[in-house]
Amino acid sequence: MKGSPPTPAGAIERAEEVGARLHRLAASTPVNEQLRDELRARLVAQPAAGQAAARSRRAGRAPVIWRARALLAACTAVVVLVAAVLLFTGSNIATARSVEALASAELLRLTDYNGFLSVASAGERIVVEKNEGLWFLLPSGSTQALYEPPRGTYARMPAVSPDGKRVAFAHSQPGSGTGISIIGIDGQGVARVTVPASEMVYDSFPAWSPDGAKLAFARAELVGMRPVTMVETVMLLDLAGGEPVEFARGSHPTWSPDGQHLAYSRPLEGTDGGLASTELVVARADGKGAARVLGRGDEPTWSPSGQFVAYAAVEVHERVLRAHPDGSPWLVVQEWSREIWAVNVLSGERFQLTASTPAPRFDLAAWQRDAEAEGPPAEGQVVAVVEGDSSDWGPAWSRDGRTLLFIRSAQSSWVSMARFSVCQLTLRFR
Amino acid sequence: MDTPQQQFARYYDDYFARVYRYVYRRVGARDADDVTSEVFTKAWRSFGAYRGPSFAAWIFRIAHSQVTDLLRRRSRAPQEDRDASAGERVPAPDLVAHVETDLVLDGLLRALPDYQRTLVELRFFADLRHADIARVLGKTEGAVKVALQRALLRLHDELSRDGEVSI
């Protein structure tokens, strides 16, 4: 593996040794066979329980859809009205120095959703990654399949070509890692353009050059064994032929509209590049000259007019509630937020476009009371990670640069996302 | 074409033992039956809405959610309830007598940080692939592989310290 630190001798064998013992331990865990039979009889013997449930949902869905559609129609009307106002007030995107959000509309809501979500603009249409396939988001608020990959594989992170005719995406294939593929906007002709040599390599976040001749993407690679780390590299691929070439360490590449520069995120010095520890960087696409740091942030996306880079800002505020006698903290609260911001590439001025709601549903007082009752740990910390009721991420500009799509998620616990939405900001430029 | 009952019955037969073992590990013998029943009842009720792509990820998402709910409720339960749960941290003696349970590894696994323990139990007790674990936990597959490796090496270190494995 190019550039990887050497694997410590025997590390794989040691992990496999533990794995074999875990398998034996799992096999010794009992299964209640009586419950298996009784529950099966109770559930599956019920005639058409699932069908009845599905029917009742369908029957009960109509008013919900009507309400949703009415809401969508109202939101669309607001967006159109705002756009018309902007058009007649002579807002000039091409010379703007600042940007602000005028209105936000929810275009799609997914509840009890089990999966990843991302969004890309295709001119008048919107492409959404959902259920590990690619879908068009229709004006009605419903979705229509663009590409549903075979079971056991996934199609994620769509990027629509500048001419609107092709979609690049991250495409998993059994046995060969995740590569980048391209499909026609009509859902025909899937072609793989990168095929990683190892299952430990993941190509993702494709971005088209403005002339549609190149793709930039992020290649994530697992290296080392102790500790295992993930290294992400921005790669460039000439679609006329040839192998991908390394551009710089980082992820989430995005092209300037003139194709002369790339913006991307990279780990802050001394961090592993996890959430809240990346910075935005701009560099010449030909690799010459030094990269310029725009500041902290992740998931950059360059505006079609060129002045702004929108991004997800991840912030962590840590509060120490109790400390050991030596002064080291043992009871800590981390408050997380993710919001959409934009930075003026030339001036470096930043503009907040969304605000995550701060009110946590987590009962901090009860948690603190319990933790204090149990007392401090012998060593280390007890940490509560608290997120707001919603967080915003995954920004993507519309083709005309007047609106910005993004994902809003509401988190109910540390692992379960209860609700996802695709939202659209209408922007004003000055 | 299979009816929904037939489809669900096939999934049920394939997944019951894996779900039960995972739930048993997480909540103990006292609640394993109830939680497993709740998982499959919930899955059957919403089966009409299931669209894939991975039934494993879907059913374990439900299982993980049920387990998390129960553990959260337990953490706020009166002390005597918690003490009752704590009593299940080792298998009952009659069970130990009948199966060769690896008590040392079992104890070390329970002592892992909750996230690492969840990963190991989804991988080895639920027998999930990395991709499905990533779907259940809302993480990337790469992050799951990294964290799982770290957890296994940590377990190995602990076992080595106890003289359980050669270094």
Side-chain angles (χ1 to χ4, degrees), chain A residues 11 14-15 17-19 21-23 25-32 35-36 39-40 42-44 46-51 53-54 57 113-114 116 131-132 151-152 154 199-200 202 222 225-230 363 370 374 412-417, chain B residues 4-5 8-9 11-13 16-17 20-21 24-25 33 37 40-41 44-45 48-50 53 57-58 61 64 72 75-76 82 95 99 101-102 105-106 109 114-115 120 124-125 135 137 139 141-142 145-146 149-150 152-153 155-157 159 164-165:
Chain A
R14 287 199 290 272
E17 184 184 346
V18 176
R21 283 179 66 166
L22 283 164
H23 276 302
L25 184 60
S28 72
T29 306
V31 174
N32 186 337
L35 174 72
R36 181 208 295 258
L39 183 63
R40 190 185 199 283
R42 202 165 77 225
L43 292 178
V44 187
Q46 285 174 0
Q51 286 175 318
R57 269 192 300 279
Y113 179 61
N114 169 28
F116 303 100
N131 288 331
E132 305 196 329
R151 183 176 284 265
Y154 63 69
E199 277 194 274
M200 307 294 266
Y202 307 85
L222 299 183
M225 279 298 297
R226 203 183 183 106
V228 184
T229 54
M230 187 158 64
D363 189 345
D370 289 349
E374 288 185 24
S412 62
S413 73
W414 65 280
V415 291
S416 71
M417 287 289 189
Chain B
Q5 288 102 316
F8 187 81
Y11 281 131
Y12 181 93
D13 293 340
F16 180 87
Y20 191 90
R21 285 196 175 108
Y24 187 98
R25 281 294 306 181
D33 286 8
S37 299
F40 280 101
T41 303
W44 174 231
R45 283 188 188 139
Y50 167 67
W58 188 68
R61 183 94 177 179
H64 187 73
R72 194 181 293 136
S75 73
R76 292 177 185 172
R82 269 188 270 174
L95 180 63
V99 293
T101 303
D102 189 336
L105 182 58
D106 180 80
L109 178 55
D114 194 57
Y115 177 60
V120 170
F124 292 95
F125 290 80
R135 292 185 186 107
L137 298 181
K139 306 283 181 186
E141 194 177 338
K145 283 184 180 173
V146 170
Q149 280 286 1
R150 285 181 177 160
L152 292 180
L153 291 175
L155 282 174
H156 185 275
D157 284 349
L159 288 167
E164 280 282 319
V165 292

Side-chain angles (χ1 to χ4, degrees), chain A residues 332-385:
Chain A
V332 176
V333 178
Q334 289 180 353
E335 292 166 317
W336 291 64
S337 67
R338 282 201 290 189
E339 298 164 338
I340 306 296
W341 286 63
V343 56
N344 184 312
V345 180
L346 290 178
S347 70
E349 194 176 356
R350 292 163 183 273
F351 307 95
Q352 183 172 4
L353 301 180
T354 71
S356 61
T357 41
R361 278 175 283 183
F362 179 69
D363 189 345
L364 185 60
W367 173 80
Q368 182 175 352
R369 201 166 50 244
D370 289 349
E372 287 177 345
E374 288 185 24
E379 58 183 58
Q381 300 179 354
V382 179
V383 180
V385 176

